Amino acid sequence: MILLTSLLAVGAVLALASAGYLYGARKGATARANLRQLNRAFAKEIALLRDHAASPKEAEHGLRATLEDILAPLVHRERLSYEMSTLQTGGGQQRNLAAVLNQMAEKGNFSSVLLSDAQGWRIAASGGTQDPERLGATASLLLLMSDRIARDGSPSPLSLMLYDTANRTTLCRVFQVDSHRMTLTVVADGSDLTPAALDPVLAKLNAMLLSRDLASPET
């Protein structure tokens, strides 16, 4: 009984540590599904550790490591959503899109961030973006693919992702500013990005883009 109480206490501490990033009530259904999955995994690990651990201390250490592994993807996703929702856009009339994309690159650990129009022409990019013309062409191609998927009346994709042999994920998020279709594309190492990872920043970008001439790329 003491062992079980100790294990549950460790689990509670780690869960609370991640709770700071579970901020979006609008994600309730997803959060509940994730928690159900975690509960199932947690129950299995408790049973295995209780049966095979040489001592309560060994079981506690094993459970801590297991919980950290289980929670790591969830914590990463929620942290990224939180960081994208706290970007500073600045005030006044001269709002700098590139500065916001630089914040995205820094907080999201993205190697490239590109804002482009439906043809793939750059509107703005983060300072470290490599080969923005090629990335813009990729975004344009993904947008064309989205249009073809929706051509027969099927729902139109809002996000498209590529994972390459260099262990990089390219996420392209399609959104609308008035009558203009835009794409926000990021490149990150690994495969932890989700299709909705960039959603928290879209409202801010939309407001900034409405105040400028979309036909004039930012330098």
Side-chain angles (χ1 to χ4, degrees), residues 7-216:
L7 295 178
L8 291 176
V10 173
V13 169
L14 290 175
L16 287 173
S18 67
Y21 300 109
L22 299 176
Y23 72 98
R26 62 186 175 82
K27 297 183 179 179
T30 301
R32 286 191 294 272
N34 288 334
L35 288 175
R36 283 195 294 270
Q37 182 178 356
L38 291 175
N39 284 335
R40 288 193 292 269
F42 186 48
K44 290 180 181 178
E45 291 299 330
I46 287 179
L48 288 173
L49 289 168
R50 186 173 51 200
D51 293 340
H52 296 94
S55 67
K57 187 173 183 179
E58 180 181 326
E60 182 174 319
H61 288 166
L63 179 58
R64 180 183 293 274
T66 299
L67 282 176
E68 287 176 349
D69 289 341
I70 292 173
L71 289 172
L74 177 61
V75 171
H76 173 78
R77 289 194 296 268
E78 297 303 328
R79 179 186 291 118
L80 180 58
S81 292
Y82 175 77
E83 296 289 3
M84 293 300 100
S85 71
T86 59
L87 299 179
Q88 300 299 313
T89 60
Q93 296 298 318
Q94 300 300 321
R95 294 176 174 177
N96 192 336
L97 283 168
V100 174
L101 301 191
N102 284 334
Q103 290 181 63
M104 288 184 62
E106 179 181 358
K107 293 187 174 186
N109 198 27
F110 303 136
S111 59
S112 300
V113 183
L114 177 69
L115 178 65
S116 54
D117 63 16
Q119 287 71 46
W121 294 107
R122 178 176 61 178
I123 301 299
S126 62
T129 298
Q130 299 179 354
D131 201 353
E133 289 76 19
R134 183 183 183 89
L135 189 58
T138 299
S140 180
L141 182 61
L142 290 175
L143 185 57
L144 179 61
M145 184 184 303
S146 172
D147 290 342
R148 289 186 175 179
I149 291 173
R151 187 167 51 189
D152 61 353
S154 299
S156 180
L158 296 176
S159 294
L160 301 101
M161 301 178 68
L162 298 174
Y163 180 64
D164 62 32
T165 56
N167 190 35
R168 296 176 306 185
T169 298
T170 299
L171 170 60
C172 180
R173 179 61 163 90
V174 182
F175 66 108
Q176 192 101 1
V177 180
D178 276 348
S179 60
H180 301 277
R181 282 204 302 172
M182 314 289 292
T183 56
L184 178 62
T185 309
V186 302
V187 179
D189 291 333
S191 57
D192 291 334
L193 284 179
T194 63
L198 304 180
D199 287 12
V201 76
L202 295 184
K204 294 181 180 180
L205 288 179
N206 195 295
M208 295 176 72
L209 288 165
L210 285 173
S211 67
R212 69 191 305 274
D213 182 5
L214 293 179
S216 303

